[in-house]
Amino acid sequence: MTTLHTNTALPGVSHLMRLVLAALIPGTAVFIYQTGWGGVINLLLAIIAAVVFEAIAVKLRRRSVRTSLEDYSAVVTGWLIALCLPPLLAWWLPVLAAAFAILLAKHLFGGLGQNIFNPAMAGYALLLISYPLDLGLWLNTPEAFNLSLHDSIAIVMNGGVKLQANWDALTGATALDQHRGWLLKTLDNPTPPGNTFGTIGAAHSEWANMAFLVGGIWLWHKRIIQWQIPLAFIVTLLLCTTIGNLINPLQAGPGFHLFGGATMLGAFFIATDPVSAAASNRARLIYAAGAGGLVYLIRTFGAFPDAVAFAILLMNCVVPALDRMDIWLLGRNNEAPKQ
Amino acid sequence: MDTTAHVHDSPSRTPPVIDWPAPERVCIPLRQHQGKAAAVIVTIGQAVNQGQLLTHSDNLFEVPVHASISGIVDTITAQQITLRQTPNGDAQTGSITRQSQQPQGTTITTLYNGWSRSEYLQRIHNAGLVGLGGSCYPVAAKINKLGDKPADTLLINAAECDPSICCDEALLNHSIDEIAMGICLAQHATQAKKTIIGIESDKSALGQLLLTSVLNCCAQQFAAHTELQVVPASYPNGAESLLMSHCVGRTLTPTDIHESQLITFNINTCYSLSQALILGNPCTHRIATIIDSQHNRFNLRLPLGTPISDLIAYYEQRRDCTIVVGGEMMGTEVGLDAVVTKASNCIQLKYVKTQPTVRPCVRCSLCVDACPVSLKPQLLLSAASTANYTNLQTLNLQNCIECTCCDRACPSHIPLAGIFAKSKEQMRQDTHARQMANLAKARYEKRQARLENSKQREFKKLDKKQSNLNQPEKAGQQAKRKLVEEALQRARDKKKNQPPANNNTSPADGQS
Ligand code: SF4
Ligand code: SF4
């Protein structure tokens, strides 16, 4: 019997999305461990909002609601947004991000497959620009983890942790923020703040990064994503940070960057979103390398809590050009042998 | 046949070839090939014998069809001829007596040695032979494409074109010697410098047998250049361009093959070739794999024009099944009134399954990884959806072999191969239209140039005329002047002789 050139029963989009969700589980578990009920509430809010807005958008566009909800892409979008957000935000912030992601970044461009920008990152970027203060507040004291579900809901419903009397005691800037804050004003203080570094990466986020790395590798093993994007992303970031660290030893080294912030989430789950990534492997290498370099630049010289979202959104803009470049190169290759 | 003994050692699950009895009625489409239908040469009510020509044409692209049963011509339409068996008619079994009449190797050599290529073409054409691998390209036209030159490589395609089809293998089990003779005939007809038998790795034992059989009966000058090539048993290696690429060791596109001296015959075609040229049995039957709704497979030798509903009645409980002609990968659904044609290499009977939902392309590139000829279906799709013919050309749409590998890989279940087939057609039309437009433009420009030219010429003619006119005038004037001068001279002479008193009147005299 002849065998097929390819795997016959390759799964559909919804199956792929379900696998992506499964791969997110380890990272999400660490995330929830670190953020307590606040993280769970964020996840629920963002996912439910994303699904509801997806349904509304599809209904408005007179398409089959069932078909588009079945593909789980809205769930993934909501989930990714929640993983970027600090816990105990006012309830409407995750909802706003999901609405922006689904309605504007996705359906205004034509729905699944047509969006230029990664919806989750577009939603998150909106919050980053509009509410930078809220997004900079991560729970980092033991008291924060011990908040009960009831208290957490109360905080979320009452405008988030920012409006709490004792918010100073509960939260602090992220390690990335602290490090950059320190770096830009190094002259005052010769050593970085003690709680910036963890064992291998940035304090707090290193374990989540490890978990996302594991999930991502599993996803690659399952052939849902290809190696080009994560590898180019990570290697570029590694190179940039190593060089930066060698030139200016005050800058954090590669370990801090690779296992800090949303690096691994970005490399394996966000940059690999096929819709907004480049089409060919060659173009993908450029795309991901660009994103990796931008992450370094924005983290070191920018003014936002994390850089992955902006780096990916900026490279999303380049994708159409990369795709054109591909066709152009192909055309040139075709002509070459004839000459 | 002696080959059956060998076949036992290849653990073949391929069902044997069974003859399907001649049906009551057959409905023979006039066009069972790539090209136009030939002209009908029978009339309604006429009695025909099996193998009798129903249509005729001298154009190699208008392949004739033959009666596949003996009976009476019932109806004739622009598309098909229906034959029905006479009520008292002898119950034809539809099978042509084969094995018993098989000539020996030596006799064949003498039989075909004498023919020239045009004689081959004539015979092949009149036997209604088309590529039975599924392409249905007229065989005679294919050979004719070589011109007077010999073929560089003759490829014998013994690889199944679709994973669900097993009629090639069944045929190898059934009549390996006839195939071998067909190959020898093909060698003679094409004068092939080299013959390669391409077969998949899981049938390599059969391939070896076939090679031996060919070497036994083929002429000396071909035997030295006949070889077996084993290709990996993976879809779509049975596709002509891929098999050819495998065998000649470089990547060839369908266009390359079309433009070169390479030629491919399926073993089914070779079988029919030997049937037609040695036994004089034209192409009235074909061997097809039937897959019923329970996924049982049968290999049947079916009279062309057999209604597929006959098969349904035999194999299925219910009549409302869907018919798919072609294999699992490339098959297309046809209506319930479909009949067996030269193209039906596989007939699948199935009850309708729900089609998976088609979603938009998510640009995942899984199709790019799946494409066996290294195209980029993802980019092709976006170019096709905007009818961007320049990009489609750049992306080598014409190289797509419509194997549907990309369809299978696509998580959005987009029917890519179907879309590409349509785009190809559109692109062809577009190119044609553009060529026509260019031609028209060239014609217009030529005409303008011609008009301009003739105008110029007219002008020149006028000029010339004028100058011609001027010249005679001058000549005349000169003559006149001469006359005048002569007259004056005479007058002066006169004057000299006459008295000066007449001086005043002299000019008038001189003028006259
Ligand atoms: S049908 Fe798809 S996989 Fe097959 S050749 Fe065409 S583009 Fe490639
Ligand atoms: S496999 Fe389907 S969804 Fe994926 S890129 Fe190709 S056409 Fe698009």
Side-chain angles (χ1 to χ4, degrees):
Chain A
M1 257 281 70
T2 321
T3 54
L4 293 180
H5 180 79
T6 46
N7 194 347
T8 349
L10 261 166
V13 172
S14 45
H15 184 79
L16 298 185
M17 293 292 185
R18 280 202 294 270
L19 284 179
V20 169
L21 292 178
L24 278 170
I25 285 174
T28 309
V30 176
F31 173 78
I32 290 175
Y33 175 77
Q34 288 182 336
T35 54
W37 286 110
V40 178
I41 295 171
N42 271 355
L43 271 170
L44 290 179
L45 279 174
I47 292 173
I48 293 172
V51 169
V52 169
F53 286 122
E54 172 88 11
I56 293 172
V58 172
K59 193 90 196 165
L60 285 178
R61 296 178 60 209
R62 300 205 176 82
R63 307 282 160 89
S64 154
V65 175
R66 215 181 123 201
T67 315
S68 75
L69 288 190
E70 264 174 5
D71 66 26
Y72 288 88
S73 59
V75 178
V76 173
T77 302
W79 194 305
L80 289 175
I81 291 175
L83 289 180
C84 297
L85 296 179
L88 300 182
L89 281 174
W91 64 268
W92 48 274
L93 284 178
V95 174
L96 177 67
F100 184 79
I102 298 288
L103 298 180
L104 280 120
K106 186 173 175 189
H107 282 286
L108 212 58
F109 281 92
L112 180 70
Q114 304 291 316
N115 43 304
I116 295 176
F117 296 106
N118 183 313
M121 288 304 101
Y124 174 57
L126 174 80
L127 294 195
L128 267 184
I129 297 170
S130 318
Y131 303 92
L133 193 61
D134 301 64
L135 293 213
L137 298 178
W138 284 79
L139 304 183
N140 56 0
T141 51
E143 295 93 85
F145 302 133
N146 297 335
L147 276 177
S148 69
L149 172 61
H150 185 263
D151 289 345
S152 304
I153 293 177
I155 292 176
V156 168
M157 297 311 288
N158 289 314
V161 72
K162 200 177 71 176
L163 296 188
Q164 298 303 303
N166 56 344
W167 67 275
D168 264 348
L170 293 176
T171 66
T174 63
L176 286 174
D177 249 354
Q178 283 183 10
H179 182 264
R180 192 190 41 248
W182 167 78
L183 191 65
L184 296 178
K185 299 180 282 226
T186 37
L187 292 181
D188 306 345
N189 191 350
T191 50
N195 56 352
T196 308
F197 292 101
T199 330
I200 44 169
H204 301 294
S205 52
E206 57 185 357
W207 296 114
N209 267 297
M210 291 298 271
F212 285 126
L213 174 63
V214 170
I217 289 177
W218 179 74
L219 216 49
W220 167 75
H221 173 73
K222 283 269 170 190
R223 293 169 172 269
I224 306 301
I225 58 175
Q226 281 97 19
W227 56 266
Q228 281 89 352
I229 290 179
L231 200 73
F233 186 95
I234 291 171
V235 167
T236 318
L237 187 57
L238 190 84
L239 284 177
C240 288
T241 49
T242 315
I243 295 170
N245 187 251
L246 287 177
I247 294 173
N248 177 5
L250 293 178
Q251 286 185 11
F256 178 83
H257 278 286
L258 291 189
F259 295 97
T263 306
M264 292 301 169
L265 183 66
F268 285 97
F269 294 91
I270 298 170
T272 52
D273 164 35
V275 176
S276 52
S280 76
N281 287 339
R282 178 169 45 195
R284 280 179 184 155
L285 287 175
I286 302 176
Y287 160 79
L294 281 173
V295 165
Y296 165 74
L297 290 178
I298 300 175
R299 274 186 185 171
T300 317
F301 307 108
F304 290 99
D306 198 358
V308 171
F310 289 117
I312 289 178
L313 288 175
L314 282 174
M315 288 316 286
N316 284 165
C317 306
V318 184
V319 163
L322 289 176
D323 284 354
R324 271 174 173 254
M325 174 201 79
D326 250 347
I327 296 192
W328 179 76
L329 284 177
L330 207 67
R332 226 184 42 174
N333 281 358
N334 283 352
E335 276 163 24
K338 281 176 199 154
Q339 283 162 6
Chain B
M1 287 172 92
D2 57 341
T3 48
T4 45
H6 303 283
V7 173
H8 282 305
D9 45 32
S10 74
S12 172
R13 282 169 290 114
T14 304
V17 179
I18 304 165
D19 277 316
W20 184 260
E24 291 279 300
R25 283 170 74 87
V26 291
C27 185
I28 298 176
L30 300 182
R31 235 188 113 241
Q32 302 186 28
H33 57 274
Q34 292 185 23
K36 288 206 191 95
V40 178
I41 53 165
V42 289
T43 50
I44 294 178
Q46 184 181 337
V48 289
N49 284 323
Q50 184 187 321
Q52 187 175 334
L53 273 172
L54 298 181
T55 60
H56 174 77
S57 165
D58 289 329
N59 185 336
L60 295 187
F61 276 103
E62 295 174 6
V63 181
V65 292
H66 302 77
S68 56
I69 59 169
S70 301
I72 285 175
V73 178
D74 206 18
T75 61
I76 299 176
T77 70
Q79 275 84 39
Q80 60 197 31
I81 295 178
T82 338
L83 307 177
R84 86 186 129 78
Q85 282 193 14
T86 37
N88 57 348
D90 40 354
Q92 276 271 355
T93 55
S95 68
I96 306 172
T97 38
R98 278 186 316 279
Q99 287 90 338
S100 52
Q101 297 186 11
Q102 207 187 111
Q104 291 305 303
T106 46
T107 28
I108 313 164
T109 322
T110 49
L111 186 63
Y112 55 51
N113 255 349
W115 293 343
S116 70
R117 180 166 289 176
S118 56
E119 277 171 312
Y120 268 110
L121 290 186
Q122 205 48 50
R123 276 161 219 259
I124 290 172
H125 176 66
N126 284 339
L129 288 181
V130 299
L132 293 179
S135 72
C136 290
Y137 196 88
V139 173
K142 204 174 195 173
I143 299 176
N144 195 29
K145 216 181 59 195
L146 297 173
D148 292 331
K149 293 192 271 308
D152 286 340
T153 304
L154 166 68
L155 176 67
I156 303 300
N157 186 348
E160 222 73 64
C161 67
D162 195 288
S164 56
I165 305 182
C166 53
C167 61
D168 286 355
E169 190 176 353
L171 186 68
L172 277 173
N173 286 335
H174 182 264
S175 28
I176 203 159
D177 289 336
E178 280 98 327
I179 300 172
M181 282 184 253
I183 295 174
C184 298
L185 287 167
Q187 285 175 332
H188 276 274
T190 60
Q191 288 299 316
K193 292 183 198 156
K194 189 171 179 190
T195 309
I196 302 176
I197 300 169
I199 198 162
E200 299 128 302
S201 52
D202 58 346
K203 292 190 290 188
S204 53
L206 275 172
Q208 205 60 52
L209 281 178
L210 180 60
L211 181 67
T212 321
S213 187
V214 172
L215 291 180
N216 276 343
C217 64
C218 82
Q220 204 58 47
Q221 77 262 36
F222 300 121
H225 305 285
T226 303
E227 57 185 75
L228 183 71
Q229 275 275 353
V230 177
V231 300
S234 85
Y235 180 80
N237 278 345
E240 179 184 7
S241 57
L242 284 181
L243 191 66
M244 189 64 105
S245 305
H246 262 292
C247 291
V248 301
R250 65 197 151 97
T251 314
L252 292 166
T253 64
T255 333
D256 292 341
I257 294 178
H258 192 77
E259 286 163 1
S260 63
Q261 295 289 99
L262 306 173
I263 192 162
T264 314
F265 288 126
N266 182 275
I267 51 168
N268 256 300
T269 317
C270 293
Y271 173 76
S272 307
L273 203 61
S274 68
Q275 291 290 307
L277 300 195
I278 299 174
L279 305 182
N281 292 334
C283 187
T284 56
H285 287 64
R286 82 147 291 148
I287 295 173
T289 302
I290 313 297
I291 304 174
D292 72 4
S293 58
Q294 307 303 312
H295 303 288
N296 300 318
R297 295 193 295 173
F298 309 92
N299 286 308
L300 301 182
R301 195 163 167 282
L302 292 154
L304 295 176
T306 306
I308 294 181
S309 50
D310 284 12
L311 300 176
I312 297 178
Y314 185 80
Y315 286 109
E316 298 293 336
Q317 313 292 327
R318 282 164 35 209
R319 292 297 179 100
D320 57 342
C321 64
T322 314
I323 306 168
V324 175
V325 171
E328 186 195 323
M329 299 295 286
M330 300 177 67
T332 45
E333 199 181 316
V334 297
L336 278 173
D337 53 353
V339 296
V340 175
T341 69
K342 293 173 189 172
S344 333
N345 47 5
C346 178
I347 297 165
Q348 300 178 52
L349 309 175
K350 38 171 95 163
Y351 293 104
V352 195
K353 263 191 302 183
T354 47
Q355 289 292 314
T357 335
V358 175
R359 291 197 161 83
C361 168
V362 295
R363 300 170 37 97
C364 62
S365 302
L366 288 172
C367 50
V368 177
D369 301 336
C371 180
V373 291
S374 311
L375 298 181
K376 296 197 176 350
Q378 174 186 352
L379 297 179
L380 276 172
L381 176 70
S382 68
S385 59
T386 53
N388 185 336
Y389 296 117
T390 337
N391 277 3
L392 283 175
Q393 191 98 41
T394 316
L395 292 164
N396 295 322
L397 175 68
Q398 65 281 4
N399 292 356
C400 169
I401 54 172
E402 288 162 39
C403 63
T404 73
C405 283
C406 47
D407 291 28
R408 310 288 145 155
C410 179
S412 288
H413 307 299
I414 303 173
L416 292 160
I419 294 173
F420 298 157
K422 262 192 221 124
S423 305
K424 266 193 210 165
E425 188 48 44
Q426 280 165 5
M427 197 158 95
R428 210 169 296 143
Q429 280 168 8
D430 179 71
T431 327
H432 185 70
R434 229 158 342 135
Q435 273 170 356
M436 283 321 208
N438 282 347
L439 267 181
K441 197 174 161 216
R443 217 163 35 219
Y444 174 76
E445 278 166 1
K446 253 191 190 156
R447 178 161 180 271
Q448 284 307 88
R450 211 167 46 229
L451 284 181
E452 189 64 23
N453 239 341
S454 61
K455 229 191 235 165
Q456 294 286 354
R457 237 177 307 158
E458 207 85 316
F459 276 139
K460 263 187 206 152
K461 241 191 224 160
L462 268 178
D463 273 356
K464 224 175 170 183
K465 222 183 200 169
Q466 234 150 29
S467 55
N468 282 352
L469 272 177
N470 286 346
Q471 267 165 7
E473 239 177 48
K474 272 178 202 157
Q477 273 173 354
Q478 273 171 2
K480 253 186 195 166
R481 219 175 297 146
K482 230 175 164 180
L483 276 179
V484 171
E485 265 164 30
E486 277 171 13
L488 278 176
Q489 195 57 42
R490 254 182 286 137
R492 264 180 240 132
D493 291 350
K494 245 187 196 170
K495 239 193 263 170
K496 276 181 191 168
N497 303 339
Q498 274 182 10
N502 285 344
N503 225 2
N504 283 338
T505 54
S506 66
D509 288 343
Q511 296 271 322
S512 56

